Amino acid sequence: MVWVVFAIVIVTGFVGTIYWKNRIFNKLLKLMQEQKFEEFFKYLDSFSTKMMYAPFNREYMRLNAFFLMGDEKKIRKQFDVMFTKGMSKKQNLDISMKAFYFYLDDNNKLKVREMLDRIQKCGNDEFYTQCKIMADVLMEKSVAYIDDMEQQVKQCDGVDRGMFQYLLGVQYLNKNDHKNAMQHLRCAQNDLKGSPYELKIKQLMKENAK
């Protein structure tokens, strides 16, 4: 009988914890979606949120809020804060990838290389290779992947095809081959419609229009 009561207490406590975590998360999400950032940060730093969520998870929510605010200065500072926190390999890879794309967009070569090192140390060769190619093409002006990507682009569709088309377009621009560059960028624009890359491609085509 004692063990039954004990089991009931454990289950009740577990269900209660899930309920409160979900309630806190839903409130934070609602505040973020409504862009009530002052209330969001206050609730994020409240005692109840600290009791239910680990430091990494709270700081990750804070980072997402800064992204939604478009505050690049706070985003940079938050990445620095998060890299001082204890985290699992999976969390490390997640935040390193997020930082990589932010710094790539910011054209910060030093930070991009730092993030590449972090991603490589996480042991995910596939993600590291993808990021290394992106950095080589977009920052180092490489044209080394053209032949391989011309083959790969024929074997995929949708977003994957769009990304190959985009990277091919950039490489042909790096190579001063305007005709092939515009051809691939137009295809990329169609496949990546509605994504953040659509605006990048439009700007790239506008800057290189003849």
Side-chain angles (χ1 to χ4, degrees):
M1 182 66 179
V2 173
W3 285 107
V4 173
V5 173
F6 181 72
I8 291 172
V9 170
I10 292 295
V11 171
T12 303
F14 179 71
V15 172
T17 299
I18 292 175
Y19 169 78
W20 279 107
K21 284 192 77 171
N22 287 339
R23 184 172 177 177
I24 290 168
F25 178 80
N26 289 333
K27 182 173 180 179
L28 287 167
L29 183 62
K30 188 172 185 293
L31 289 171
M32 192 186 294
Q33 289 172 338
E34 294 174 351
Q35 299 193 19
K36 295 179 179 179
F37 294 114
E38 187 174 345
E39 291 180 55
F40 170 84
F41 291 123
K42 185 176 180 180
Y43 193 58
L44 184 65
D45 293 325
S46 68
F47 177 76
S48 57
T49 305
K50 288 180 179 178
M51 285 293 292
M52 291 294 169
Y53 284 94
F56 177 87
N57 300 103
R58 296 198 309 273
E59 296 308 323
Y60 196 89
M61 292 184 215
R62 196 186 311 276
L63 176 65
N64 286 334
F66 290 151
F67 267 101
L68 192 58
M69 292 165 65
D71 193 326
E72 294 185 1
K73 184 177 180 180
K74 287 184 178 179
I75 291 170
R76 293 187 189 94
K77 185 176 180 180
Q78 186 63 11
F79 275 131
D80 291 340
V81 168
M82 294 193 71
F83 284 128
T84 66
K85 302 290 182 184
M87 63 183 94
S88 67
K89 185 175 287 189
K90 183 178 179 180
Q91 290 171 332
N92 192 357
L93 178 62
D94 184 1
I95 197 69
S96 297
M97 291 282 291
K98 201 176 184 79
F100 169 81
Y101 283 108
F102 172 77
Y103 289 122
L104 184 65
D105 202 43
D106 197 40
N107 203 34
N108 188 326
K109 288 188 177 183
L110 185 63
K111 283 292 186 179
V112 165
R113 291 193 189 100
E114 182 182 328
M115 293 308 113
L116 281 173
D117 287 342
R118 293 186 68 94
I119 293 167
Q120 188 176 32
K121 288 174 183 176
C122 287
N124 191 308
D125 292 338
E126 182 181 354
F127 285 152
Y128 171 74
T129 300
Q130 291 175 1
C131 291
K132 178 70 164 56
I133 290 171
M134 292 282 287
D136 286 347
V137 172
L138 300 176
M139 297 192 71
E140 305 298 336
K141 309 300 181 186
S142 173
V143 297
Y145 305 99
I146 289 178
D147 291 342
D148 182 58
M149 287 188 183
E150 286 285 15
Q151 296 302 314
Q152 293 287 337
V153 78
K154 298 172 184 176
Q155 301 171 30
C156 56
D157 54 22
V159 174
D160 288 340
R161 181 176 61 193
M163 286 305 300
F164 277 123
Q165 297 280 18
Y166 170 57
L167 292 172
L168 278 166
V170 174
Q171 285 179 93
Y172 279 117
L173 284 177
N174 295 343
K175 197 177 178 182
N176 294 317
D177 185 339
H178 186 268
K179 181 180 177 180
N180 276 317
M182 292 301 110
Q183 178 183 333
H184 283 291
L185 289 174
R186 279 191 291 269
C187 292
Q189 188 176 1
N190 290 330
D191 284 336
L192 298 174
K193 194 172 183 63
S195 77
Y197 285 96
E198 183 182 10
L199 292 176
K200 295 177 185 292
I201 294 165
K202 284 183 177 179
Q203 184 63 32
L204 199 57
M205 292 177 70
K206 184 179 179 180
E207 291 172 356
N208 292 276
K210 286 187 178 180

